[in-house]
Amino acid sequence: MKTLFHSLVAACMAVGSFHVPASTFGADAEVPPKPNFLFILCDDLGYGDLQCLNAEGKIPTPNFNRLAREGVIFTDAHSSSSVCTPTRYGVLTGRYNWRSKLQSSVLGGLSPRLIEKDRMTVASFLKKAGCHTACIGKWHLGMDWALKGGAAVNELSIESPDQVWNVDFSKPILNGPNSVGFDYYYGISASLDMVPYTYIENDHVAALPDEEGEFLMMEGKEGRFTRKGPRAASFDAANVLPDLTAKAITYIKERAEDAKKGQPFFLYLPYASPHTPILPMSDWQGKSGLNAYGDFVMQNDDCVGQLLATLDELGLAENTMVVFTSDNGCSPQAQYQELLPKGHNPSHVFRGHKADIYDGGHRVPFIVRWPARVKGGATSKRLVCLTDFMATAADVIGEALPATAAEDSFSFLPVLTGKASGPKRDVIVHHSINGSFAIRQGRWKLNLCPGSGGWSAPRPGKDDLSGLPPVQLYDLSADIGETKNLQAEQPKVVARLTQLLERYVAEGRSTPGKRQANAVEVQIFKEIPAPSGKKKKS
């Protein structure tokens, strides 16, 4: 293709800039000490589940709303993938997930470590800069369990039923969160519907999973259960949300004095909720008036409220940057068919849901609060990806990232402070559960597949896609629901965006700089379909 790289379309409905008034903190104001970071990553929480983002939403979310009042809402924020594991890779490395060897789907609870050896992460970077670092929650990025003699587990997919007992759980775990920069870890290895059903503390299980177990997938829905496998007798899936919250509160309390004395903390809190199993505690059952999913979201909101109250009580709220978001769109496990008739749509106005290449799969809630530096109650239309946290953290503490790290991370600090500096994001690449790509620039979004790439219709592998164009082009300024495919009317836009994606793959980065693509990326380049739908020859 012989096309030119065009500039960002100024008329984009969903991308704009927001500036905090200069009076928020003057040029002569004393620069506050390095802040604490609290990154809260919910699991499968939909954009439309927050009242501050969806005025028609039916789930009361007072604490999410409080964050919005006191912080900045980003209305055009996205996860790099529409499913769990790849998004988490992007958050911690500042790289698009498809630059790793995981090209589709997710890992299992027994899968080996995904993050490459010696790969810099947000945790290792902040730790080197003097922060105490902790991860409390769902990991889902693999760790090296001790396998029984001659046994095996799937490397890049969920373990099969005949593999779940192939691990010697009594032995230390290698290459877990501690190996990528976290001083402390407590949580579960993967999604809460995956084995093993036990907590892990640093490099060992907190309780030996020595019995077979499973859990109801959704409160009130009999007959559907999580995967069966190793479970510690004391482990109850319904307690995980309050347990993780309590552990996070304890950690913050333990670090409070050091934080006030000049050693800030970075707490990465990846919740396992409201992902399945959807099991709200008895005190929350029936509260939403919708279904168990609505109740679970309310309980999750309350847990965030407890964290905010802890920061208040300890005098840490002012200089703690709280980032609140979700790893992808809401899952159909929330039972949309029950929620929609009651007026609640977790996907809001966006097409699709978790797993999809459509915006419902990857447009996520994103709120940032940092009272010491940022005036609250504002909204930004600036395009943001969860990979951007790493560059932002570096910007906040005033430390430079090496050229070999965070290749797809743009700082959004200038958006928060109103001080224009450095490169800004005007393009984002999306990825679905089956490995389909999309690229967005300005108002144009190009989906490089004929269907959803995920779980909504038209579904790859289940629905007949033979009569559909090989790619989809949408003008989001006029069609936020991605309903009118303009690929035939706008061939130049299709060619330009395809070429831009190829460039990002081939160059190994989307931020300014130089890096040679690795073997995985070279293969990706060959697999990206041309506008005709045909793949390039090897």
Side-chain angles (χ1 to χ4, degrees), residues 280-436:
M281 301 289 284
S282 58
D283 290 348
W284 291 98
Q285 292 174 20
K287 290 277 188 176
S288 69
L290 298 172
N291 66 3
Y293 175 78
D295 302 339
F296 209 22
V297 171
M298 289 184 67
Q299 184 182 349
N300 219 143
D301 173 86
D302 180 74
C303 288
V304 170
Q306 294 176 46
L307 293 165
L308 299 181
T310 300
L311 293 175
D312 290 339
E313 292 164 7
L314 297 173
L316 297 175
E318 183 73 9
N319 201 33
T320 297
M321 174 183 275
V322 178
V323 179
F324 175 82
T325 186
S326 179
D327 64 343
N328 43 247
C330 180
S331 168
Q333 296 286 352
Q335 305 299 318
Y336 277 62
Q337 70 274 17
E338 296 176 355
L339 299 171
L340 293 175
K342 296 179 180 180
H344 184 77
N345 185 353
S347 297
H348 192 32
V349 297
F350 309 110
R351 182 177 179 179
H353 46 57
K354 176 183 178 178
D356 294 347
I357 203 64
Y358 301 123
D359 263 34
H362 49 76
R363 191 180 293 233
V364 293
F366 196 85
I367 303 170
V368 182
R369 189 190 76 167
W370 184 18
R373 294 283 303 272
V374 178
K375 183 177 180 179
T379 299
S380 172
K381 295 180 180 180
R382 173 63 60 194
L383 188 64
V384 173
C385 182
L386 298 195
T387 59
D388 295 339
F389 176 64
M390 189 165 179
T392 304
D395 207 358
V396 165
I397 66 172
E399 299 280 349
L401 287 164
T404 55
E407 294 96 325
D408 303 297
S409 189
F410 291 83
S411 174
F412 52 78
L413 181 62
V415 180
L416 296 173
T417 63
K419 292 186 174 182
S421 62
K424 63 183 180 181
R425 176 179 294 283
D426 63 0
V427 180
I428 189 169
V429 178
H430 307 297
H431 209 227
S432 76
I433 191 171
N434 78 339
S436 294

Side-chain angles (χ1 to χ4, degrees), residues 146-152 165-169:
L147 299 178
K148 296 176 181 177
W165 287 102
N166 285 357
V167 167
D168 184 344
F169 295 104

Side-chain angles (χ1 to χ4, degrees), residues 62-375:
N63 296 293
F64 300 161
N65 295 348
R66 178 194 170 186
L67 270 179
R69 289 194 308 272
E70 298 175 357
V72 176
I73 301 173
F74 287 79
T75 59
D76 202 359
H78 301 259
S79 52
S80 64
S81 170
S82 55
V83 283
C84 300
T85 298
T87 285
R88 290 155 207 276
Y89 177 90
V91 168
L92 291 183
T93 65
R95 310 174 80 229
Y96 283 133
N97 56 274
W98 42 266
R99 297 196 194 279
S100 78
K101 59 185 175 182
L102 183 68
Q103 295 300 298
S104 63
S105 195
V106 300
L107 299 184
L110 304 179
S111 299
R113 166 178 164 168
L114 177 65
I115 296 177
E116 302 86 357
K117 184 180 179 181
D118 299 326
R119 169 70 54 199
M120 178 175 280
T121 67
V122 181
S124 63
F125 175 76
L126 290 177
K127 180 177 180 177
K128 187 177 181 180
C131 288
H132 190 277
T133 59
C135 172
I136 296 174
K138 167 183 168 176
W139 183 237
H140 214 173
L141 282 166
M143 52 185 71
D144 294 339
W145 297 90
L147 299 178
K148 296 176 181 177
V153 293
N154 296 329
E155 180 184 8
L156 296 175
S157 61
I158 301 170
E159 51 279 338
S160 59
D162 64 335
Q163 294 177 336
V164 297
W165 287 102
N166 285 357
V167 167
D168 184 344
F169 295 104
S170 67
K171 293 185 178 179
I173 307 164
L174 302 178
N175 293 320
N178 300 120
S179 70
V180 297
F182 288 104
D183 292 307
Y184 179 72
Y185 173 67
Y186 186 90
I188 57 177
S189 67
S191 296
L192 193 49
D193 56 10
M194 299 176 184
V195 302
Y197 300 120
T198 188
Y199 289 117
I200 300 165
E201 187 165 29
N202 293 320
D203 65 349
H204 60 276
V205 296
L208 194 66
D210 55 3
E211 64 180 42
E212 191 95 333
E214 62 184 2
F215 298 95
L216 197 65
M217 281 287 273
M218 187 173 190
E219 181 66 38
K221 302 286 185 183
E222 299 297 331
R224 295 184 63 247
F225 295 89
T226 62
R227 297 167 180 86
K228 184 179 292 186
R231 171 183 178 267
S234 59
F235 188 87
D236 186 346
N239 291 333
V240 169
L241 175 54
D243 283 354
L244 294 180
T245 302
K247 184 65 73 170
I249 289 172
T250 297
Y251 172 80
I252 293 171
K253 288 180 177 179
E254 290 174 347
R255 301 306 310 170
E257 288 306 311
D258 284 343
K260 292 176 183 178
K261 293 176 182 177
Q263 187 191 20
F265 61 80
F266 164 46
L267 173 54
Y268 170 53
L269 179 57
Y271 275 124
S273 53
H275 189 290
T276 52
I278 299 170
L279 300 174
M281 301 289 284
S282 58
D283 290 348
W284 291 98
Q285 292 174 20
K287 290 277 188 176
S288 69
L290 298 172
N291 66 3
Y293 175 78
D295 302 339
F296 209 22
V297 171
M298 289 184 67
Q299 184 182 349
N300 219 143
D301 173 86
D302 180 74
C303 288
V304 170
Q306 294 176 46
L307 293 165
L308 299 181
T310 300
L311 293 175
D312 290 339
E313 292 164 7
L314 297 173
L316 297 175
E318 183 73 9
N319 201 33
T320 297
M321 174 183 275
V322 178
V323 179
F324 175 82
T325 186
S326 179
D327 64 343
N328 43 247
C330 180
S331 168
Q333 296 286 352
Q335 305 299 318
Y336 277 62
Q337 70 274 17
E338 296 176 355
L339 299 171
L340 293 175
K342 296 179 180 180
H344 184 77
N345 185 353
S347 297
H348 192 32
V349 297
F350 309 110
R351 182 177 179 179
H353 46 57
K354 176 183 178 178
D356 294 347
I357 203 64
Y358 301 123
D359 263 34
H362 49 76
R363 191 180 293 233
V364 293
F366 196 85
I367 303 170
V368 182
R369 189 190 76 167
W370 184 18
R373 294 283 303 272
V374 178
K375 183 177 180 179

